[in-house]
Amino acid sequence: MSTRLWVTGLGLVTPLGIGVEATWGRLVRGERAIRPITLFDVGGQRVGVAGEVDGVEVLAPGWSRTSAMAATAAEEAMRAAGIDVGRARVALVVGGTTGGMFEAEQLLARLHAEPECREVLAAMLSHPLTSTGDRLDEHLGPFARIRTLSSACSSGANALVVAAGWLLAGDVGAVVAGGS
């Protein structure tokens, strides 16, 4: 007997667009999202181009761009799948490498310029690796179970593996899983 799992909702926030339709439409038209970096100064750097995500609004004080992008994608996926955390035992698995890379980089630049700055050191603690999962739980939950994984570029894929394991074990009825 084989057990089947189904992906019932997708959500995307990419340099090609916000949402599955926007991203897919530009992708199949062969458009590219690599362009000059505008989020920060790249003067003196070897590379000045990247795939930046436009139109991301940080939802509340203390949120990072990472958490805002994850929330936008998770909301889209949950809406598409018809997931209601109030009516089913729903879990959350977030794969990532940092809790707030953009914010951390700004803080590190300031710390480099002001090595004795204690304010920067305190602010660095405001975006731990688990912060994205915590923010999603506050905004979209409460979830029955939350896990944050960090395994470099494979974090999002590993989040899907953990989600599948929970579903196959019968621990939860649905899982919101992905990477940011």
Side-chain angles (χ1 to χ4, degrees):
M1 180 172 120
S2 70
T3 302
R4 295 185 180 169
L5 300 176
W6 304 97
V7 174
T8 58
L10 300 174
L12 291 174
V13 175
T14 75
L16 286 170
I18 295 179
V20 172
E21 292 299 321
T23 298
W24 182 250
R26 289 190 64 197
L27 186 66
V28 297
R29 287 191 300 274
E31 295 182 33
R32 294 172 182 87
I34 305 300
R35 59 183 168 80
I37 295 171
T38 62
L39 284 172
F40 51 88
D41 180 22
V42 293
Q45 302 301 313
R46 294 184 316 182
V47 177
V49 297
E52 286 184 340
V53 175
D54 292 325
V56 174
E57 294 185 33
V58 175
L59 302 176
W63 278 60
S64 66
R65 276 179 54 86
T66 301
S67 295
M69 288 187 272
T72 300
E75 284 179 286
E76 181 183 22
M78 290 172 70
R79 191 172 41 255
I83 290 177
D84 179 354
V85 297
R87 298 177 66 205
R89 189 162 158 75
V90 180
L92 172 69
V93 186
V94 177
T97 56
T98 66
M101 177 65 83
F102 181 69
E103 292 76 12
E105 290 291 336
Q106 290 176 328
L107 293 168
L108 288 171
R110 183 168 171 207
L111 189 59
H112 180 72
E114 304 171 45
E116 302 302 318
C117 183
R118 296 288 176 223
E119 178 185 315
V120 171
L121 295 175
M124 290 289 284
L125 298 175
S126 67
H127 297 289
L129 179 60
T130 60
S131 64
T132 298
D134 296 340
R135 300 293 185 246
L136 293 180
D137 190 45
E138 293 166 8
H139 184 64
L140 301 171
F143 291 95
R145 176 187 282 182
I146 302 169
R147 182 81 69 239
T148 300
L149 307 174
S150 180
S151 53
C153 296
S154 65
S155 298
N158 287 333
L160 298 177
V161 171
V162 168
W166 287 350
L167 290 166
L168 291 171
D171 294 344
V172 293
V175 182
V176 177
S180 61

